[in-house]
Each structure stands twice: as structure tokens, then as C-alpha cells.
């Protein structure tokens, strides 16, 4: 009983911390509190409820079962999400117990339970991507560990109960894969490698089959068409590949050169430890598969951490991988080999321990979002209290309360009848669940995430199709303090702006507190573009824009990396790009420009800084005040070798109906 009690305590903590018993309270005192993170979490249950097709109607790195990771599940799927998380916790806990029982001597117990407790602490303090990856990691690494010594006297015993647990974890992995794309990518690669080993050994691929079955069942269970699964994967790849450029803050911002060096040293040591583990087992095929998988996950984590400026989440995944790699050194090596081979048994753990020290140093040098113990235990106690109330029959879901808070920020004005509606750029909860309206999102439903040319153009095509374009649009130009990385204002769904001006009319300039109300026209206005020029600019060169009264200027900016810059981008990230605009009144404004969005095209003049400036585009009474006279494109932190020799600028005069006609 003494040995069992600590395990039961750990299980209880995991259940109370990781199972979403009830929806959290949300602070929404102003529109700024309804940020991107809150908006997409509230939207996810709606997408699942309405069976919107991911990949076609919704493009996002969260999948149809994103609610499994979200703070909000909605009332319909609340019980299902809780049961899934409970099942995941119990299966992971049982797998940890099996690992501890398998490795019985002291050092192995320290590695198993010490690492497990450290990972649980990461999970209950917010780093849950690594937690949802653990089922696939457990199956993959333990399967390869078993295969490494399966034919030897020191073979790791796999009892029927353990193999059934592997199947259960594979089923859970298949379902969790549709929560978020990085989980899908890592788990899919894991089971493809297991499948390759099964084919090599000519045995039935039970575990990959269980994973694939659960994945397809989950996709269909979310109301999705099978034809859209490859499309979701393809578009998530595009979305993920563009994330580093879109979120770039600078070459060594927010992480300094020293911190970056320590981080990459830690990643290199993890790879070295994985190579040492493979060498210890004489490069046998299962060991090689574990090495390939470790290298893949390290690469994904680096792009997420550095390219996405989310080094904290990356550290949790790296520590998880390192924990599994360390277990490979606990497996008995093949017998009857030369003594020198056993040096890796000491070199590998020493390397892994050094990597832990370096990762800890990185955590100490960043704003590592581990909440203090008081807040963590308060969450656990709150979840326990919510669970008790639920068992007594009290409601544990605050979904209606959350939506009511969001709805306060828009009071419908001059809108009659049931209509489809969308919100630009990111405040979808304003209309979700609102009586009399049906939320009809564009594919990349948050303008911030339409950060590749393909996605920006996909959103524009959504407005071109009169059968699916929303009847009403709430439009808002984000103020500078809410605009992520201070992007050039018209880059937010830039290709859609001409369609907003031609296909919609300004119905109300004060649709609630901070929104413009746009209404779809019966007949779109005629629009045309007249080509003006095509020039190559140097970074830092000031260029005078052609001035012609009564015209909008449309620009496409193409920037290419040098071969060496492409290599650095693949291993690290790109520096940010700035555009400096000098207005007619000589005021200078500096913004970030996302190269992909610049290539897709955007309104470069006039400079639309707020809702009033956007409303001015609909008037025929005169010219707006913020005509851009000159621009300068720069990348101040970029090494000289990074970008190509020239920046290509193409300009058009844009005419829409009578808007700004001469």
C-alpha cells in the first residue's frame, strides 16, 4: 500500500489538472480581451457543431477535434472531451507504471519516475502539446525498445496487457492527431516508421492499423468528408511553413544570440544522445528508426520554437523526447560484443544530462510561462470543486456565459432578418451563437492566420462567390497596440480589400462600439487595375510612388532569399522586413511587412490606419488625407548575405466603380 499510494496521488493530480471538468472563467472587460487566442478557442466548438469542413471551409492548424486541447468545449461536446482526457490520463499513467516496473534498479527508477514527475509538472502548467504527443511517443519508443532486443535473452517482456495498452494508446493517438496539426505530423511519422518496421519483419501492422482506424473514425465523427483530409494536411503545411515569416520579430528578437546558441547546443546534444543510443545497439534497424524519429521531432520543435517564437512550448517537447531517448540506454545491449561499445552507455547519459542543464538555462533566460505553485494548486482545487458540483447535478459549463460576454461588444444596428455574417479581422465570438445571425466564416477565419499568399487569395475567392459570401460583414482596423508585430494595416486579408469595396457597401459607420457594418450589394461595382510600373529596388532605398489624383495604388512586393539565406531560414528563421511609408503631410509610419502577403498584393496607398480611413474609401467626396508619397523597404537585422540583390515592386492603379474616379 505504501508503494501504491504515491502513484495514486500522482494519478489524482493528473486527472484534476488535465481533464477539463468545466469551462474556465474569462476576463472580457474590453474588446482587446477578445484576442486571437480566445477567439479561435471559442470558434472551435462552433465549427464542430456545424460540421464545417476543415481544409475547405476552415483552414487552421487546429483540426476538427481542437476542442480536446482547448479551454472551451461547448455544451454539446463537453462530456466527450472530458472522457477523452480522462482516458488519455489513465492510459499514460498505466504506461508510466509499466516503464517503472520494467526497469527495476535504482538509476532506472530515478530516470523513469523523476522524468515522469517533471513532465507532469510541465503538463499541468500549460505545456500540453507535449502531453498530447506522449501516447504516440510511448508506443513508438517502447515498440522499438522491444524490437531492439526481442530475440535476445535480455528481451524486454511484453505481456498481453501491455500490448493491449499500446493498442489503446494508438487509438487515442489517432483521435488526438486531429486536435492540432503538429500532433498529427509527429504521430503520423511515428506510425509510418512503425509500419515500415512491421513490413520489414513481415508481421501484421496492428498498431499502425489501430492509429489509422481511429484517425479516420475521428475525422468522420467530426462530420468531415474523407476527401478533405488530404486538403487539410496540405493547407496546414502551407500555414505552418509561413508561420516563421509571419511571426518574425527580428533575427535575435525576442531571443538574444547567446540564448539561441545555448538552445541549439541543447538540441545538438539531444541528437548526439540519440546517435549514441543507436550506436550502443549497433545501428540495428529499430534503433535507426528511433534515431530518425528523434531527429524529425527535434526539427519540428526547433521550427516551432525559433520560427514561431514559442521556445517555451518547444522546450517541453524537447525534454519529453530526451526522456524517451534516455530510456534507450537502460535497455541491455547486445551480448558478445567488444568492450569498447559499452562506452556509449556512459557517454549517452552524460550528454543527455548536459542537454537538460542547457534546456534549464534557456528556460531561466526566457519568460517561461510556468505558473507559480499557488496558482497551479488553485486550479487543481477549483477543478475538484467543479467535479463535485457536477456530480451533484450543477452545471459545469460556462459556454453561454462566455458568449454573452463576447456579445456585449456589438449591438446590432439597422440589421433585420436572418443573415449570414463574418467578422474581420478576428472577433468571431461577437456573432457566434447570436440569435438572428449565422456565422459564415472565410476559410482562414482569422486574418492574422491568412499569412501565406495561398491563404490570402483563398479568402478573397470566398468573397467572389456570391453564393457563399456573407450578407453582412463587421469590419475593424486593429489599432497599433492590438496589431500583431505592427503589420502594415492593409496586409490583413489584403487581396480581399478590393472585393470588400466593390461587393459591399458601407451600411453603418458605428455598428456597435468599434465596428463598421458592410452590407453585400445586389450588383458588385465594376473594378479594374491599370498597370503602372515594375521596378527593382535595393533594401533601404527610398522610392517615390507615382502620384495621380483620384486613384488607389495596388502593390505587389516580391522578396527572395539568397541560397545561403534559404539555408539559414531552414535551420533557424528569417529576419523581419519593415516598410516605411511617408505620407502627404510628411508623417513617417513604419510597419512590418510579411513577404508572402506582400507578394499576394495589398493596397499601398492611401495608408488606412483606422476605421475612419477605411470608411473614407467608400466616399466620393474627395481624396483621403493619408496618400503615401514614398516608401522604403528594409530588413535592419538581416545579414548582408540573407536577401537577394533586389526587391521587386509592381504597381497598379486600382479603380472601383465611382470610388476615386478622376
Amino acid at each position: 500500500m505504501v508503494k501504491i499510494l504515491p502513484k495514486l496521488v500522482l494519478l489524482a493530480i493528473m486527472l484534476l489538472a488535465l481533464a477539463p471538468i468545466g469551462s474556465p472563467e474569462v476576463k472580457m472587460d474590453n474588446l482587446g480581451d477578445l484576442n486571437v487566442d480566445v477567439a479561435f478557442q471559442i470558434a472551435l466548438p462552433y465549427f464542430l457543431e456545424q460540421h464545417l469542413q476543415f481544409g475547405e471551409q476552415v483552414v487552421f492548424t487546429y483540426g476538427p477535434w481542437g476542442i480536446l486541447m482547448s479551454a472551451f468545449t461547448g455544451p454539446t461536446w463537453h462530456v466527450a472531451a472530458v472522457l477523452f482526457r480522462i482516458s488519455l490520463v489513465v492510459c499514460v499513467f498505466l504506461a508510466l507504471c509499466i516503464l517503472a516496473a520494467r526497469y527495476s534498479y535504482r538509476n532506472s527508477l530515478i530516470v523513469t519516475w523523476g522524468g515522469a514527475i517533471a513532465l507532469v509538472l510541465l503538463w499541468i502548467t500549460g505545456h500540453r502539446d507535449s502531453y498530447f504527443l506522449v501516447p504516440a511517443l510511448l508506443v513508438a519508443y517502447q515498440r522499438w525498445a522491444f524490437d531492439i532486443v526481442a530475440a535476445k535473452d535480455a528481451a524486454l517482456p511484453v505481456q498481453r496487457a501491455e500490448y493491449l495498452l499500446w493498442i489503446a494508446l494508438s487509438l487515442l493517438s489517432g483521435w488526438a492527431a486531429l486536435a492540432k496539426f503538429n500532433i498529427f505530423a509527429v504521430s503520423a511519422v511515428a506510425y509510418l516508421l512503425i509500419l515500415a518496421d512491421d513490413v520489414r519483419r513481415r508481421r501484421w501492422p496492428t498498431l499502425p492499423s489501430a492509429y489509422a482506424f481511429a484517425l479516420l473514425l475521428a475525422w468522420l465523427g467530426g462530420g468531415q468528408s474523407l476527401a478533405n483530409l488530404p486538403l487539410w494536411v496540405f493547407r496546414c503545411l502551407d500555414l505552418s511553413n509561413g508561420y516563421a515569416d509571419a511571426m518574425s520579430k527580428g533575427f535575435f528578437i525576442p531571443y538574444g544570440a547567446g540564448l539561441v546558441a545555448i538552445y541549439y547546443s541543447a538540441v545538438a546534444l539531444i541528437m548526439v544522445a540519440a546517435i549514441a543510443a543507436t550506436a550502443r545497439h549497433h545501428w540495428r534497424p529499430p534503433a535507426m528508426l528511433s534515431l530518425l524519429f528523434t531527429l524529425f521531432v527535434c526539427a519540428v520543435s526547433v521550427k516551432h520554437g525559433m520560427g514561431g517564437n514559442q521556445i517555451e512550448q518547444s522546450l517541453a517537447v524537447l525534454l519529453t523526447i530526451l526522456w524517451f531517448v534516455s530510456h534507450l540506454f537502460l535497455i541491455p545491449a547486445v551480448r558478445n560484443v567488444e568492450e569498447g561499445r559499452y562506452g556509449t552507455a556512459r557517454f549517452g547519459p552524460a550528454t543527455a544530462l548536459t542537454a537538460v542543464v542547457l534546456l534549464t538555462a534557456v528556460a531561466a533566460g526566457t519568460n517561461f510561462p510556468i505558473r507559480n505553485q499557488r496558482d497551479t494548486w488553485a486550479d487543481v482545487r477549483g477543478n475538484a470543486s467543479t467535479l463535485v458540483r457536477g456530480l451533484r447535478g450543477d452545471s459545469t459549463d460556462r459556454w453561454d456565459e462566455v458568449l454573452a460576454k463576447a456579445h456585449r461588444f456589438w449591438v446590432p444596428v439597422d440589421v433585420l432578418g436572418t443573415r449570414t455574417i463574418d467578422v474581420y479581422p478576428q472577433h468571431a465570438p461577437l456573432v457566434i451563437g447570436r440569435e438572428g445571425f449565422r456565422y459564415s466564416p472565410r476559410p482562414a477565419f482569422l486574418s492574422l492566420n491568412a499569412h501565406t499568399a495561398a491563404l490570402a487569395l483563398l479568402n478573397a475567392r470566398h468573397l467572389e462567390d456570391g453564393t457563399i459570401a456573407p450578407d453582412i460583414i463587421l469590419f475593424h482596423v486593429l489599432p497599433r497596440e492590438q496589431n500583431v508585430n505592427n503589420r502594415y494595416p492593409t496586409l490583413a486579408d489584403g487581396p480581399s480589400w478590393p472585393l470588400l469595396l466593390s461587393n459591399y457597401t458601407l451600411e453603418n459607420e458605428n455598428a456597435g462600439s468599434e465596428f463598421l457594418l458592410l452590407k453585400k450589394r445586389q450588383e458588385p461595382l465594376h473594378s479594374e487595375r491599370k498597370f503602372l510600373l515594375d521596378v527593382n529596388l535595393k533594401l533601404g532605398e527610398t522610392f517615390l510612388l507615382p502620384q495621380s489624383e483620384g486613384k488607389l495604388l495596388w502593390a505587389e512586393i516580391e522578396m527572395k532569399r539568397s541560397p545561403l539565406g534559404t539555408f539559414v531560414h531552414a535551420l533557424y528563421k528569417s529576419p523581419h522586413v519593415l516598410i516605411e511609408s511617408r505620407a502627404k503631410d510628411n508623417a513617417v509610419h513604419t510597419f512590418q511587412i510579411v513577404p508572402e502577403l506582400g507578394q499576394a498584393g495589398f493596397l499601398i496607398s492611401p495608408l488606412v490606419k483606422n476605421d475612419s480611413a477605411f470608411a473614407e474609401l467608400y466616399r466620393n467626396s474627395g481624396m483621403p488625407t493619408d496618400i503615401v508619397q514614398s516608401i522604403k523597404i528594409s530588413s535592419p537585422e538581416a545579414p548582408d548575405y540573407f536577401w537577394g540583390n533586389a526587391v521587386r515592386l509592381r504597381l497598379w492603379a486600382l479603380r472601383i466603380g465611382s470610388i476615386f474616379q478622376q
Side-chain angles (χ1 to χ4, degrees):
M1 184 65 184
V2 175
K3 293 183 178 180
I4 296 177
L5 184 59
K7 296 179 182 179
L8 293 178
V9 171
L10 180 62
L11 175 60
I13 292 173
M14 291 174 67
L15 285 170
L16 292 175
L18 299 173
I21 306 301
S23 299
E25 290 190 37
V26 180
K27 175 179 173 292
M28 279 194 207
D29 295 335
N30 54 65
L31 190 62
D33 291 335
L34 192 58
N35 56 38
V36 171
D37 289 338
V38 174
F40 86 73
Q41 289 190 70
I42 293 178
L44 288 175
Y46 175 83
F47 296 154
L48 186 59
E49 180 74 23
Q50 298 297 316
H51 296 162
L52 294 183
Q53 298 298 300
F54 279 72
E56 179 185 357
Q57 295 174 294
V58 177
V59 180
F60 201 50
T61 51
Y62 280 75
W65 290 100
I67 61 167
L68 298 177
M69 295 184 66
S70 171
F72 304 104
T73 61
T76 303
W77 303 102
H78 182 71
V79 173
V82 172
L83 291 176
F84 178 87
R85 293 285 281 270
I86 290 174
S87 301
L88 200 57
V89 168
V90 171
C91 287
V92 169
F93 172 77
L94 292 176
L96 295 178
C97 292
I98 288 175
L99 284 180
R102 170 180 293 164
Y103 307 120
S104 57
Y105 57 94
R106 185 185 62 182
N107 290 342
S108 301
L109 286 174
I110 292 174
V111 171
T112 302
W113 281 116
I117 292 172
L119 292 176
V120 168
L121 287 176
L122 284 175
W123 299 336
I124 66 177
T125 52
H127 299 82
R128 294 179 181 172
D129 280 18
S130 59
Y131 165 61
F132 274 77
L133 287 171
V134 160
L137 301 182
L138 276 166
V139 172
Y141 278 106
Q142 294 312 302
R143 171 61 176 272
W144 294 324
F146 169 73
D147 286 344
I148 286 172
V149 292
K152 304 299 177 181
D153 293 339
L156 301 177
V158 178
Q159 304 296 331
R160 180 180 295 273
E162 181 176 351
Y163 199 77
L164 290 175
L165 180 61
W166 286 1
I167 294 175
L169 287 169
S170 298
L171 293 171
L172 291 170
S173 296
W175 213 282
L178 296 180
K180 196 175 181 183
F181 182 66
N182 66 328
I183 298 172
F184 171 86
V186 171
S187 61
V189 169
Y191 283 95
L192 283 174
L193 292 175
I194 293 174
L195 176 63
D197 196 41
D198 285 337
V199 171
R200 183 184 67 86
R201 292 172 178 268
R202 296 182 180 180
R203 66 185 170 198
W204 180 256
T206 304
L207 300 178
S209 297
Y211 171 81
F213 171 77
L215 180 71
L216 295 177
L217 183 63
W219 186 260
L220 295 174
Q224 305 297 303
S225 167
L226 278 179
N228 284 330
L229 180 55
L231 186 61
W232 176 69
V233 173
F234 175 79
R235 285 181 170 161
C236 280
L237 282 171
D238 178 54
L239 188 60
S240 300
N241 289 334
Y243 193 80
D245 277 349
M247 296 297 132
S248 178
K249 300 177 184 294
F251 213 44
F252 291 113
I253 300 174
Y255 313 119
L259 193 68
V260 170
I262 296 174
Y263 175 83
Y264 273 88
S265 298
V267 174
L269 288 176
I270 294 174
M271 294 179 177
V272 169
I275 293 171
T278 307
R280 173 172 164 75
H281 298 296
H282 294 270
W283 309 96
R284 301 184 68 194
M288 285 293 297
L289 291 175
S290 70
L291 173 60
L292 291 174
F293 182 62
T294 301
L295 296 179
F296 172 76
V297 180
C298 284
V300 171
S301 297
V302 167
K303 293 304 291 184
H304 190 202
M306 287 298 170
N309 299 315
Q310 297 188 39
I311 199 171
E312 298 85 359
Q313 294 288 347
S314 172
L315 293 184
V317 176
L318 290 173
L319 285 168
T320 305
I321 287 295
L322 186 57
W323 183 65
F324 281 109
V325 170
S326 299
H327 276 88
L328 295 179
F329 291 98
L330 304 178
I331 303 170
V334 178
R335 295 183 176 184
N336 301 320
V337 296
E338 58 271 26
E339 188 66 25
R341 292 283 187 177
Y342 288 98
T344 56
R346 294 183 178 181
F347 172 76
T351 303
L353 183 60
T354 306
V356 170
V357 172
L358 292 179
L359 291 175
T360 304
V362 174
T366 61
N367 182 26
F368 201 62
I370 293 182
R371 298 167 295 177
N372 60 52
Q373 293 181 355
R374 179 180 301 176
D375 291 342
T376 299
W377 289 113
D379 285 350
V380 172
R381 291 194 301 270
N383 226 4
S385 176
T386 303
L387 177 60
V388 171
R389 292 200 310 272
L391 294 175
R392 291 176 178 173
D394 297 336
S395 174
T396 59
D397 186 77
R398 295 192 176 97
W399 180 246
D400 292 337
E401 175 187 329
V402 171
L403 289 181
K405 287 182 178 180
H407 291 170
R408 290 185 296 116
F409 301 117
W410 177 56
V411 178
V413 178
D414 297 334
V415 180
L416 300 175
T418 301
R419 297 174 181 268
T420 56
I421 189 168
D422 197 2
V423 186
Y424 285 68
Q426 65 190 37
H427 300 94
L430 293 177
V431 297
I432 291 176
R434 190 185 283 273
E435 186 177 358
F437 298 93
R438 182 169 64 84
Y439 176 42
S440 178
R442 57 206 180 275
F445 69 102
L446 301 174
S447 296
L448 174 68
N449 292 102
H451 56 231
T452 70
L455 292 178
L457 294 171
L458 184 66
N459 278 359
R461 288 196 293 272
H462 176 78
L463 291 181
E464 285 179 331
D465 189 339
T467 61
I468 60 175
D471 300 320
I472 296 170
I473 289 176
L474 289 181
F475 190 89
H476 180 47
V477 178
L478 289 176
R480 191 183 188 98
E481 61 274 9
Q482 295 179 21
N483 193 354
V484 174
N485 296 341
N486 191 33
R487 289 185 189 176
Y488 200 81
T490 55
L491 284 179
D493 269 312
S496 295
W497 282 49
L499 293 163
L500 291 171
L501 295 173
S502 63
N503 294 9
Y504 290 82
T505 182
L506 180 61
E507 188 77 3
N508 194 309
E509 293 189 37
N510 187 24
S513 57
E514 301 186 50
F515 290 90
L516 302 173
L517 181 64
L518 310 182
K519 182 180 178 182
K520 187 161 61 175
R521 300 177 187 268
Q522 293 292 331
E523 292 293 334
L525 298 177
H526 174 71
S527 64
E528 61 177 321
R529 294 195 309 179
K530 180 182 179 182
F531 180 75
L532 297 178
L533 55 86
D534 185 341
V535 297
N536 290 326
L537 308 177
K538 293 182 179 180
L539 285 174
E541 175 186 352
T542 298
F543 179 76
L544 295 176
L545 296 180
Q547 300 298 307
S548 180
E549 294 295 321
K551 293 180 181 177
L552 306 175
L553 282 184
W554 183 261
E556 290 181 3
I557 296 176
E558 184 178 346
M559 297 184 65
K560 292 185 177 180
R561 305 179 188 90
S562 68
L564 185 54
T566 301
F567 177 75
V568 171
H569 173 78
L571 292 181
Y572 180 50
K573 64 177 179 179
S574 294
H576 65 332
V577 179
L578 302 179
I579 180 170
E580 181 183 285
S581 299
R582 183 177 295 274
K584 197 171 184 179
D585 58 1
N586 283 326
V588 177
H589 308 276
T590 302
F591 299 94
Q592 183 197 29
I593 181 171
V594 179
E596 275 268 331
L597 297 182
Q599 187 173 338
F602 65 105
L603 186 67
I604 199 169
S605 179
L607 181 61
V608 182
K609 297 182 295 183
N610 50 45
D611 288 349
S612 297
F614 183 81
E616 192 73 25
L617 297 178
Y618 284 93
R619 299 193 180 97
N620 304 322
S621 56
M623 290 297 297
T625 58
D626 286 331
I627 296 297
V628 178
Q629 291 191 317
S630 68
I631 62 168
K632 181 171 68 176
I633 299 171
S634 63
S635 186
E637 286 194 331
D640 293 338
Y641 61 79
F642 195 90
W643 296 106
N645 295 327
V647 177
R648 186 180 183 184
L649 172 66
R650 284 171 288 186
L651 289 177
W652 288 263
L654 177 64
R655 300 185 182 220
I656 300 173
S658 60
I659 299 177
F660 300 122
Q661 294 276 7
Q662 286 187 329

